[in-house]
Amino acid sequence: MPRVTIEDLKRIKEEYKAKTALGKGAYRAKVTVHMGTCGLAAGAGRIKDVISGELEKSGAADVIVTTSGCAGLCSREPMITVRILDAPPVQYCDLNADKTGRIVSEHILGGKVVEDLTLAPPGEEVPFFRHQTLRALRNKGLIDPEKIEDYIARDGYMAAAKALLEIPPEQIIKEVKDSGLRGRGGAGFPTGLKWELCSISKADQKYILCNGDEGDPGAFMDRSVMEADPHVVLEGMIIGGRAIGANKGYIYVRAEYPLAVKRLQLAIDQAKGYGLLGENILNSGFTLDIEIYQGAGAFVCGEETALMRSIEGKRGMPIPRPPFPVNKGLWEKPTVLNNVETYANVPQIILNGADWFRSLGTEKSAGTKVFALTGAVANIGLIEVPMGMPLKTIIYDIGGGLSGVKRGRKFKAVQLGGPSGGCIPEHHLDTPVTYEDIVKTGAIVGSGGMVVMDDFTCMVNVARFFLEFTADESCGKCPPCRIGTRVMLDKLIDITEGRGKEGDIEILEDLAGDIIRTSLCGLGQTAPNPVLTTIRYFRDEYESHILQKWCKAGVCRELITFYIDAEACTGCGVCARACPQEAITGEKKKPHEIDQSLCIRCRDRKSTRLNSS
């Protein structure tokens, strides 16, 4: 494959757009099967086979079948999008082979929309997407991640060309600084400032790194971007490498993301084939090589210095700062590390300018933010919203409210920031999603995990879950994190298992303060956050666990007992048939009883009533 010039990029863009356009002499219809990890897990591969097979049987040669990454609404996969000439696109969801066969025969071949299978009526915007603004995810569901031409056709690598051929490195940095882009990996450090500090650091070798490790429970933002739009990550790194003077880059991806690794490697190979990576990119004189480094899943390697030690082949453990990585990072050389979403924003900033990026968001939190919206919410998926949008809008207008609202479930809290974040209660749902406003609640924006919880959730148990995670993931280097988190966890275990004592809450708060002040890295410094926010907003649950030995949510098994109200029981036998342990006995039409020695406290609330022991 020949090396490309800027003129070649423009030609490839126009030729590919014409080749794949719907219209006379080209294709009449285009079917996109969304095949991110969520779609593939739900059976998208089978859906694509059915579509291709049915079209082949019909002899239809004017329909193009293509793929994309995640379309965003993960809970409705498998999904496809059908575009027919002179008609609005139609999205179909919750598909199987039979439903797909109907769509092919009735809509793709017959021209009639199968309305009972659509995500929304033709021409109507899906509520899930209505409040979103796509920038980092601008190519979501629109391009085949395994075809570089698809990316080029949507202005791919044009920002890199501008950065390499038209503006000097200092102007790149100024544009990124003026945009107000802050690191989307959790800390929110100004990206342009980080690049500037590294650019003025003198060295014979510099590195540019991408953090695609993403270890937070409930987070899948970076994975989805790497799977759906791998070239945008490479382009952002090219621009960043040019800005700081780096000619070597690494993308650190956890090995548990095989599809992301596959598509990133394919993108690297394609970019090298076109001369968009390697020596003398676009005849600019700039050289950058990028490799993938697969991590082993250690959460602490999301911390920048631990990540760099891991790439060096050492145990992933943080080191004290200063010196900071922009001065001494990978192999003691000046290094910039940003996460996937940060790099995905850079090309559009260079193409459209800082003012364009600042047109959304707030003064201190500019642009948009990608979130993985999950938990007890109706619409689970990947979203991108302007910074400053209230939590309530995200959860109810985009997320569709609680998934269990028809069963009487009520909102309880939303957890932001993963193990480093905190739980925000209902009376704070008007809080704008900005770095500064979320911190005031005790949580953090973090990398973008957003887990919604209903009243089936025990907040003490939630704190135990997250602390269990961070205690296990501690590298063990510093005693406050290694020992302190374990002591806090033991205290939470005692509380959830009925051994809590008066004064335990105060002990947890004191320990949390010590760990935050004295831990070496961000893992330990933020590990107590879920505990502190649950105490702050749900102290009554801690007190009921300790004083009354009662879990209001009925989650902590050692603190609950199921019994049958003899006055209300009609002896219908429904509960006995539902019991998996045959712990319920009694004669027909007479009150039944539960054998507590057999009861496993399975929380079948359809047939039993919950009471504290």
Side-chain angles (χ1 to χ4, degrees), residues 297-300 315 464-476 481-482 485-486 489 523:
F299 180 65
V300 72
R315 182 178 176 184
R464 171 180 170 173
F465 167 80
F466 281 109
L467 201 64
E468 200 165 43
F469 179 87
T470 48
D472 285 345
E473 293 293 339
S474 172
C475 73
C481 180
R482 182 182 71 246
T485 56
R486 183 60 59 179
L489 175 60
L523 187 149

Side-chain angles (χ1 to χ4, degrees), residues 44 51 57 170 220 263 268 276 285 321 380 397 466 530 575:
I51 294 171
K57 286 180 188 177
E170 56 268 23
F220 48 89
R263 289 178 175 171
I268 289 172
L276 294 167
R321 296 170 294 178
I380 293 173
D397 295 345
F466 281 109
C575 61

Side-chain angles (χ1 to χ4, degrees), residues 27-66:
Y27 295 101
R28 175 187 60 83
K30 180 179 181 180
V31 183
T32 303
V33 184
H34 304 296
M35 298 179 68
T37 291
C38 53
L40 289 168
R46 171 62 176 154
I47 300 303
K48 183 175 181 290
D49 291 341
V50 170
I51 294 171
S52 299
E54 292 296 316
L55 290 175
E56 186 176 348
K57 286 180 188 177
S58 69
D62 57 352
V63 179
I64 181 172
V65 180
T66 186

